[in-house]
Amino acid sequence: MTPPATATTTLALAVLVALAAFAGPFALALALVLLVALVAVGWPALLSLPSPRGTTAVVALAGLGAVATGTAVVGADRDALGAGPLAGVPAVAALALLAAFVHQLARRDGRPRLVESVSGTVTGQALGVLAACWSAVPATYAGAPLAPVVLVAVCAAAAVCATSWPLRVAGPAAVGAGALAGWLAGSATVALGGAGIVPPARWAVAGLVAGAGAGVAVAAWRAHSARLPTAGALPAAFAVAAAPVCLAGGGAYLVGRLLLL
């Protein structure tokens, strides 16, 4: 899969998550399950990790557990936001870390490349946990309109990173494109009447901050994944495409809770 095709896949996944954010917790959970599945299946191939089936299993369990926990809290009681809709996710992340070590203990291949396997597995689990943060975004002060604002910035930065420009050019350009796209998307949200209870003046600022953050994340991901020889081969390429959308979940939730008050 070429970089433009990977960026197009990122765009498709971002559109799916943005639309699902308006469709309700269950639809959003299904979209997040797809993200987690793409990362879990492609992650061992992307990093050429030993014991790929076990790695896929523990990465999938971490992501699915975090999505289920976040969706259950938000869907059951929106008034529980005072305690945080993601209050149970840290416990899932802790159990996932233990599962990563149990997976290593259960290996029967002599455990070659042990440190590489553990670090790679935990990193994949972190992506799944960050993806689960999208489940709480519609329940923030900003509501569902925040999802497309952040994801527009992700797509803009991914498009820049899909070019053949060297990283020293594409990196700053991705940050700038993300910030500009986020600012424009935030301003468009106000113009279209989607500001909700949030002061309109804060949407552009939040879009700018979230967009710049998305640009940094996407550029950093390109710097890492572009060096991997398996990045263009399926199913690793799907993990490469899904990762930016997963990474943006945590940032979107922080913006919704801290900036858009």
Side-chain angles (χ1 to χ4, degrees):
M1 186 180 290
T2 62
T6 302
T8 302
T9 305
T10 299
L11 171 62
L13 293 172
V15 170
L16 177 64
V17 173
L19 293 176
F22 290 93
F26 182 70
L28 181 55
L30 290 179
L32 299 180
V33 166
L34 175 61
L35 285 180
V36 170
L38 291 177
V39 171
V41 173
W43 198 250
L46 178 65
L47 299 183
S48 300
L49 296 177
S51 187
R53 287 183 295 180
T55 300
T56 293
V58 294
V59 170
L61 286 174
L64 295 177
V67 170
T69 301
T71 302
V73 172
V74 173
D77 185 8
R78 290 182 181 271
D79 293 333
L81 290 178
L86 299 177
V89 172
V92 174
L95 291 174
L97 181 60
L98 292 177
F101 286 105
V102 170
H103 165 232
Q104 298 304 319
L105 292 174
R107 288 174 58 185
R108 296 175 180 246
D109 56 357
R111 302 191 191 101
R113 300 158 57 201
L114 178 61
V115 174
E116 180 181 347
S117 181
V118 172
S119 59
T121 300
V122 172
T123 304
Q125 291 175 328
L127 283 176
V129 172
L130 288 173
C133 293
W134 282 113
S135 65
V137 168
T140 61
Y141 300 103
L146 178 60
V149 170
V150 178
L151 289 169
V152 163
V154 170
C155 293
V160 171
C161 287
T163 64
S164 58
W165 299 344
L167 184 62
R168 65 179 181 275
V169 176
V175 176
L180 177 61
W183 178 76
L184 291 175
S187 301
T189 299
V190 175
L192 295 173
I197 64 172
V198 177
R202 297 196 180 183
W203 272 99
V205 175
L208 181 68
V209 172
V216 170
V218 173
W221 177 239
R222 178 203 160 164
H224 174 73
S225 61
R227 300 172 182 269
L228 300 175
T230 58
L234 298 178
F238 285 117
V240 173
V245 182
C246 295
L247 289 169
Y253 177 70
L254 287 177
V255 168
R257 287 301 300 270
L258 300 180
L259 288 182
L260 292 176
L261 298 177

